């Protein structure tokens, strides 16, 4: 085991957003609010906004959904024409307000606000190094390591300090920062986590995890921030600096499979079309006779449509999702589950009863969801249930920000496809092939698909199985 690396498994699924309005008198808080609202699917545990007026930073953050956090007059009290925002979901027991972002720190006479999506693999070692020099941490998130390293180098200027930080930190990150009179975006050298740049109608600029948030506020997508790029936006416009450590692009393929919204375009690839293609490819790779193709909302729907188009089997709505469940929602206990409490999804009997059903979902991680779905369809009277998955079996831990847990919890690592089929109770089960997945996103090697093939783009911590 290499103790350079962080051995703890704390994953952060998050969304970041930033805005720069050229007119100093304009307030940006409400636009950030709408941006975060469009990124809500990337994290439902906490939300926060920090705004900057001439270097003075106000911020507000709390646990809950964007609409729960920003009530009443909160937004109107956040003053400034530059700002950043964050939505967060963590997967271990680190769910408390101290870990909400953006983090705002005072360093000498400078205030810095920073928000981060992703996961560093060497945060633990860096934290220990900083602690040895007397730094006191108030949170357990990697972001605080980044902000401390940034503050340390500020005497060299902000951009220089960022360049020093990115030489030290290893892992996945899309970062937005505001300090002095700047909005800054930073993307890790592999571009594992997405970040794009847009322009607002009256001359401002936006940074966002996903392009769907740009559409929401009427901004136009200019381009993606490049892997290993630092983008600085100030009164002179947009400047680009490259980090010294650019390596091959490896966007997280799970963004396209599951995480991102279908109306986003990521590094030039439409999320919707990649899912639609995956469905078509599945129909080619694992066709089965059936009466209806249904998709698991939300990410399985475009793929089910693609499957139906390619196979000639009609698409139907088979599952209805309650849209109002956040991740802080009170989950039923095991006892209630055994009583049959199914809160998130219900089967549409009219479309599945007495039918041979093909159900398309984006992934099988632990296998609990697919088991429940098959049961739901059978209880609704489906005659046959054929499960099709638009990604290969998840067989390796993600170290870069997606909640695919320890290998022992990953059914794809522990069982064969036939064993998984028996476990979930489907008549047939098929996953897309590795080649089919790459074809669905337009080909090439610019993706990290380590959760499927174990080919990590960098050295990763050794976790206990
Ligand atoms: P599982 O029960 O663990 O097999 O969950 C797989 C289901 O959860 C699929 O329907 C996915 O849409 C969804 N899913 C996959 N990855 C994640 C994730 N990182 N966070 C939350 N849900 C996920």
């Amino acid at each position: 085991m290499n103790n350079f690396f962080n051995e703890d498994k704390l994953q952060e699924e998050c969304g970041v957003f930033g805005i720069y309005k050229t007119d100093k008198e304009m307030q940006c808080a409400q636009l950030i609010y709408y941006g975060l609202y469009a990124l809500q699917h990337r994290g439902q545990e906490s939300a926060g906004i920090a705004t900057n007026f001439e270097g003075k930073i106000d911020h507000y953050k709390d646990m809950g959904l964007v609409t729960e956090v920003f009530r009443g007059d909160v937004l109107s009290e956040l003053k400034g024409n530059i700002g950043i925002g964050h939505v967060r979901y963590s997967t271990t027991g680190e769910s408390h307000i101290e870990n909400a972002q953006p983090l705002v720190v005072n360093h000498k006479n400078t205030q810095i606000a920073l928000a981060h999506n992703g996961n560093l693999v060497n945060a633990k070692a860096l934290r220990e190094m900083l602690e040895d020099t007397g730094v006191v941490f108030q949170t357990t998130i990697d972001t605080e390591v980044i902000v401390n390293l940034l503050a340390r180098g500020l005497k060299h200027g902000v951009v220089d300090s960022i360049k020093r930080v990115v030489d030290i930190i290893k892992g996945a990150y899309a970062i937005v920062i505001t300090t002095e009179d700047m909005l800054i975006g930073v993307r890790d050298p592999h571009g594992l986590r997405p970040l794009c740049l847009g322009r607002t109608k009256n001359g401002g600029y936006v940074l966002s995890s996903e392009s769907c948030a740009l559409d929401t506020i009427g901004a136009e997508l200019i381009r993606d921030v490049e892997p290993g790029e630092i983008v600085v936006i100030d009164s002179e416009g947009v400047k680009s600096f490259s980090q010294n450590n650019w390596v091959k692009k490896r966007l997280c393929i799970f963004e396209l499979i599951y995480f991102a919204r279908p109306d986003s375009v990521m590094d030039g690839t439409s999320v919707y079309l990649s899912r639609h293609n995956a469905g078509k490819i599945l129909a080619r790779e694992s066709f089965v006779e059936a009466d209806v193709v249904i998709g698991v909302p939300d990410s399985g729907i475009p793929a089910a449509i693609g499957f139906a188009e390619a196979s000639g089997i009609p698409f139907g709505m088979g599952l209805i999702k309650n849209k109002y469940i956040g991740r802080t929602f009170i989950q039923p206990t095991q006892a209630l589950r055994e009583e049959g409490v199914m809160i998130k999804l219900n089967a549409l009997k009219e479309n599945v009863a007495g039918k041979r059903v093909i159900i398309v979902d984006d992934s099988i991680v632990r296998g609990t969801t697919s088991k429940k779905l098959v049961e739901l369809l059978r209880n609704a009277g489906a005659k046959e249930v054929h499960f099709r998955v638009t990604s290969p079996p998840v067989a390796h831990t993600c170290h870069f920000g997606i909640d695919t847990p320890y290998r022992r919890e990953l059914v794809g690592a522990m069982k064969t496809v036939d064993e998984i089929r028996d476990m979930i109770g489907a008549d047939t089960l098929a996953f897309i092939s590795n080649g089919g997945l790459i074809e669905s996103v337009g080909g090439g090697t610019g993706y990290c698909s380590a959760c499927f093939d174990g080919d990590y783009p960098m050295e990763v911590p050794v976790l206990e199985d």
Side-chain angles (χ1 to χ4, degrees):
M1 189 173 312
N2 185 344
N3 61 14
F4 176 64
F5 290 112
N6 186 1
E7 295 143 33
D8 300 333
K9 185 153 180 348
L10 168 63
Q11 292 297 330
E12 302 265 344
E13 295 177 0
C14 306
V16 295
F17 191 81
I19 193 152
Y20 183 99
K21 302 232 71 166
T22 30
D23 180 349
K24 279 210 172 125
E25 297 315 311
M26 299 275 291
Q27 304 301 322
C28 66
Q30 193 146 0
L31 283 173
I32 299 174
Y33 171 82
Y34 295 137
L36 292 181
Y37 191 45
L39 298 177
Q40 185 76 82
H41 60 287
R42 299 184 68 86
Q44 299 92 39
E45 185 181 280
S46 67
I49 294 178
T51 54
N52 175 350
F53 180 68
E54 295 189 329
K56 182 187 170 308
I57 296 182
D58 291 326
H59 76 285
Y60 188 83
K61 54 190 176 180
D62 206 346
M63 306 303 285
L65 300 172
V66 175
T67 48
E68 293 165 349
V69 171
F70 296 99
R71 289 171 185 274
D73 294 334
V74 173
L75 280 178
S76 56
E77 282 162 22
L78 295 171
K79 306 280 185 219
N81 58 317
I82 314 171
I84 61 171
H86 188 266
V87 286
R88 171 175 193 262
Y89 167 65
S90 77
T91 57
T92 56
E94 301 290 333
S95 166
H96 44 79
I97 180 70
E98 289 78 21
N99 285 344
Q101 300 187 41
L103 286 187
V104 180
V105 296
N106 298 314
H107 180 74
K108 299 198 170 157
N109 292 325
T110 311
Q111 283 197 297
I112 311 168
L114 185 147
H116 162 224
N117 167 215
N119 222 57
L120 302 185
V121 291
N122 63 343
K124 189 177 178 196
L126 292 172
R127 176 181 286 259
E128 279 170 14
M129 184 196 83
L130 288 164
E131 280 172 339
D132 285 343
T133 66
V135 174
V136 176
F137 283 89
Q138 293 175 352
T139 76
T140 55
I141 52 177
D142 299 357
T143 319
E144 197 175 5
V145 172
I146 301 173
V147 91
N148 265 292
L149 291 170
L150 180 63
R152 293 193 140 214
L154 274 187
K155 55 181 175 292
H156 305 287
V158 180
V159 175
D160 229 61
S161 181
I162 294 171
K163 284 188 177 176
R164 286 162 194 254
V165 173
V166 297
D167 275 346
I168 304 173
I169 60 176
K170 305 272 174 258
Y173 49 88
I175 303 173
V176 289
I177 303 167
T178 182
T179 186
E180 298 169 15
D181 61 347
M182 289 173 265
L183 171 68
I184 301 168
V186 190
R187 195 168 171 202
D188 70 72
H190 292 93
L192 278 155
R193 300 263 71 89
L195 189 65
C196 64
L197 172 70
R199 188 184 292 114
T200 65
K201 289 221 166 61
N202 36 24
Y205 291 96
V206 196
L207 291 167
S208 173
S209 290
E210 288 186 38
S211 65
C212 66
L214 268 47
D215 298 336
T216 300
I217 63 156
E220 170 203 359
L221 175 66
I222 303 176
R223 63 179 177 87
D224 291 272
V225 175
E226 290 296 320
E229 185 182 5
I230 302 164
V231 168
V232 177
I233 302 157
D234 62 13
S235 56
E236 290 169 15
V238 180
K239 290 185 215 108
S240 166
F241 301 85
S242 54
Q243 303 169 12
N244 306 324
N245 49 0
W246 187 86
V247 276
K248 196 171 171 315
K249 188 181 122 191
R250 298 284 295 272
L251 172 69
C252 165
I253 206 162
F254 218 74
E255 289 276 354
L256 296 167
I257 295 168
Y258 164 75
F259 205 41
R261 246 171 65 160
D263 51 339
S264 287
V265 177
M266 221 164 247
D267 287 338
T269 303
S270 150
V271 176
Y272 176 82
L273 288 181
S274 66
R275 291 180 189 167
H276 188 263
N277 283 342
K280 287 207 242 174
I281 293 163
L282 265 178
R284 187 183 78 208
E285 290 185 342
S286 55
F287 176 83
V288 59
E289 292 289 349
D291 304 308
V292 66
V293 185
I294 68 167
V296 183
D298 297 307
S299 35
I301 303 282
I305 295 171
F307 194 112
E309 280 175 19
S311 65
I313 303 169
F315 169 81
M317 294 270 288
L319 293 165
I320 305 298
K321 180 178 167 187
N322 184 328
K323 296 194 181 81
Y324 305 97
I325 297 180
R327 285 190 190 170
T328 47
F329 176 79
I330 302 165
Q331 298 295 337
T333 59
Q334 187 56 31
L336 284 171
R337 271 194 220 111
E338 279 161 21
E339 271 195 58
V341 175
M342 290 291 273
I343 288 154
K344 202 165 165 187
L345 289 166
N346 193 18
L348 194 59
K349 292 191 187 63
E350 291 75 359
N351 275 349
V352 300
K355 294 193 175 158
R356 295 169 299 170
V357 178
I358 295 173
I359 173 170
V360 186
D361 199 1
D362 60 85
S363 58
I364 295 186
V365 183
R366 295 173 186 82
T368 39
T369 310
S370 28
K371 188 168 184 225
K372 276 192 217 150
L373 292 172
V374 175
E375 201 181 294
L376 203 59
L377 294 174
R378 292 214 191 273
N379 289 343
K383 209 159 65 179
E384 288 172 18
V385 180
H386 302 280
F387 215 102
R388 296 293 178 270
V389 191
T390 60
S391 60
V394 175
H396 302 271
T397 304
C398 177
H399 296 272
F400 306 117
I402 294 284
D403 178 23
T404 51
Y406 292 99
R407 293 199 77 199
R408 61 175 177 271
E409 296 172 37
L410 296 172
V411 77
M414 308 310 284
K415 292 185 192 296
T416 64
V417 174
D418 287 350
E419 285 168 346
I420 302 172
R421 179 203 59 215
D422 293 345
M423 184 193 110
I424 69 173
D427 292 280
T428 67
L429 165 67
F431 294 85
I432 202 167
S433 64
N434 286 318
L437 175 65
I438 295 300
E439 185 187 335
S440 73
V441 296
T445 53
Y447 295 96
C448 173
S449 48
C451 50
F452 307 119
D453 57 23
D455 178 17
Y456 295 103
M458 66 188 83
E459 202 178 336
V460 294
V462 180
L463 293 172
E464 254 178 63
D465 273 351

